[in-house]
Amino acid sequence: MLAIVATLLLTAAGVTSSPLERRATDGLNARAVAAGKLYFGSATDNGELSDSAYVAGLSNWADFGQLTPGNALKWDSIEPSRDSFSYANGDTIVDLAAKNGQKLRCHTLVWHNQLPSWLTSGGFDNATLITILKNHITNEVTHYKGKCLHWDVVNEAFEEDGTWRSSVFYNTIGPSFVPIAFAAAAAADPDVKLYYNDYNIENAGGKSTSTQNLVKLVKQYGVKIDGVGLQSHFIVGSTPSQSAQQSNMQAFIDLGVEVAVTELDIRTDTPATSSAVNQQAKDYASTIAACKAVAKCVGVTIWDYTDKYSWIPSVFSGQGSALPWDENLKKKDSIYNAILSAWGPAPTG
Ligand SMILES: O[C@@H]1[C@@H](O)[C@H](O[C@@H]2CO[C@@H](O[C@@H]3CO[C@@H](O)[C@H](O)[C@H]3O)[C@H](O)[C@H]2O)OC[C@H]1O
């Protein structure tokens, strides 16, 4: 009723909404929220924030209700020298999300990559490395206390066959580096949701089973773990089916945690053919539909929203074109509309 009165008053005053303004109430995030999810979001990075057209798209809440810093919160960025913390890049993205009314996924505290050399080459013994680990987590989580919806506490602890990954943390401390990390994060911010995050765990298999065992391990230590992040870096045409993704999500949920799709992109050989783009639209839709169908899948994040800033071509030679916006920031209608439809009806009122 209020909306009708407001519309009548605005119309009487000669103010009518353009198609663009009407559209701004609908979008990828608006549909996710209408479907009962917390957000549809995008990763971003500091270098891209000087591109005003990019920032305008990223800041559109109707499409993106959550931001994830792609690099700014990693160890080499935050603690480049021992016990010297540098929050400027992280704060820039945290402040942008707050200004836009967007939630924040904080990524990531403990990962084998993007570590400073003082840490990897320090030759620290078990006790000293545990002190360093706790100090890093306590300092960073305290700095962002109250700002993050989720923290990816530990990222990618397993090899492809599901065995523990060789890393400075595992090699020195053993598997208990994981519960130690979660305990330090929980102590620094008791309200933030704490996640384990990995790739190739979106389907049943050895790596997913090992991740389920990790959830049990953290709980056996009496330590809080709230969620598992399914990165979902997929290849066009070989993404897991919707039902495979759903049953895998459910296996985690049955252990008492929630799940989120945290880094979705679907790469193809470049230049992309029209049949690849059509298949990508179907593949995006099946992941969205899986998350929609599983109540405790809380949201979906794409790993940046435009091919202009995708990490894929720099890592997978000859591949790319993995995101719903192209290199000119132009929306790929078939993919965008497939995601909209998979979330379901537009919000009303
Ligand atoms: O030169 C480096 C550059 O290599 C670095 O690239 C980032 C690498 O990490 C990417 O995110 C990861 C994607 O895979 C998942 O497995 C991880 O969870 C993510 O963190 C990120 O998108 C790239 O930009 O960036 C910093 C440069 O100095």
Side-chain angles (χ1 to χ4, degrees):
M1 183 61 184
L2 276 178
I4 295 169
V5 171
T7 306
L8 288 173
L9 287 173
L10 286 171
T11 308
V15 180
T16 52
S17 60
S18 69
L20 196 63
E21 285 164 332
R22 281 199 301 276
R23 174 110 200 189
T25 62
D26 190 13
L28 306 179
N29 178 57
R31 296 278 181 117
V33 172
K37 303 300 166 185
L38 295 180
Y39 59 78
F40 182 91
S42 173
T44 189
D45 208 354
N46 295 80
E48 305 152 24
L49 300 181
S50 56
D51 179 339
S52 56
Y54 167 83
V55 174
L58 183 74
S59 300
N60 176 14
W61 184 92
D63 278 329
F64 305 114
Q66 179 262 117
L67 300 186
T68 304
N71 287 303
L73 303 185
K74 291 173 178 171
W75 200 311
D76 61 351
S77 175
I78 293 291
E79 194 185 359
S81 313
R82 186 171 175 185
D83 216 16
S84 170
F85 291 83
S86 165
Y87 289 109
N89 279 350
D91 290 354
T92 298
I93 296 174
V94 171
D95 292 347
L96 178 67
K99 185 176 132 210
N100 295 335
Q102 293 162 316
K103 300 184 192 307
L104 200 68
R105 288 200 82 258
C106 291
H107 170 89
T108 176
L109 293 166
V110 184
W111 190 30
H112 64 280
N113 269 333
Q114 293 181 256
L115 293 172
S117 58
W118 69 262
L119 176 57
T120 50
S121 312
F124 299 111
D125 63 20
N126 180 52
T128 309
L129 190 59
I130 290 174
T131 301
I132 288 169
L133 183 69
K134 287 180 174 174
N135 183 54
H136 176 80
I137 293 171
T138 303
N139 202 302
E140 186 168 2
V141 175
T142 301
H143 183 84
Y144 291 115
K145 187 172 181 181
K147 307 257 169 84
C148 309
L149 178 70
H150 302 161
W151 257 116
D152 286 336
V153 178
V154 175
N155 203 36
E156 301 175 0
F158 297 111
E159 306 281 2
E160 287 317 281
D161 62 1
T163 57
W164 287 96
R165 182 190 290 279
S166 170
S167 72
V168 66
F169 305 109
Y170 178 75
N171 298 347
T172 311
I173 305 172
S176 64
F177 86 86
V178 176
I180 290 170
F182 276 83
D189 184 352
D191 296 325
V192 68
K193 297 238 175 179
L194 303 180
Y195 270 63
Y196 174 78
N197 190 51
D198 213 331
Y199 63 93
N200 287 349
I201 58 164
E202 300 84 5
N203 218 345
K207 204 169 172 185
S208 177
T209 303
S210 294
T211 305
Q212 288 159 37
N213 290 336
L214 178 147
V215 171
K216 292 178 198 165
L217 175 79
V218 175
K219 286 177 177 269
Q220 277 159 8
Y221 272 74
V223 172
K224 181 173 101 107
I225 176 168
D226 299 294
V228 171
L230 310 164
Q231 290 185 8
S232 309
H233 292 295
F234 291 145
I235 300 170
V236 69
S238 52
T239 64
S241 69
Q242 180 189 334
S243 66
Q245 291 183 66
Q246 279 178 222
S247 58
N248 183 65
M249 288 175 182
Q250 194 58 49
F252 288 110
I253 290 162
D254 290 346
L255 298 175
V257 291
E258 60 186 38
V259 298
V261 175
T262 53
E263 305 188 15
L264 179 61
D265 50 24
I266 303 178
R267 61 186 185 267
T268 182
D269 291 341
T270 49
T273 62
S274 58
S275 77
V277 176
N278 288 340
Q279 185 61 46
Q280 279 175 313
K282 291 179 190 155
D283 291 346
Y284 266 101
S286 68
T287 295
I288 301 297
C291 185
K292 182 186 175 189
V294 173
K296 285 202 171 172
C297 177
V298 301
V300 174
T301 308
I302 49 177
W303 206 240
D304 224 315
Y305 75 91
T306 158
D307 296 335
K308 187 172 184 182
Y309 298 119
S310 172
W311 72 304
I312 296 286
S314 66
V315 177
F316 301 95
S317 179
Q319 297 188 301
S321 199
L323 294 164
W325 276 258
D326 72 13
E327 291 189 352
N328 300 311
L329 300 178
K330 187 173 177 305
K331 196 181 281 175
K332 300 174 190 173
D333 286 333
S334 59
I335 296 178
Y336 185 90
N337 291 332
I339 300 174
L340 280 184
S341 309
W343 280 131
T348 54

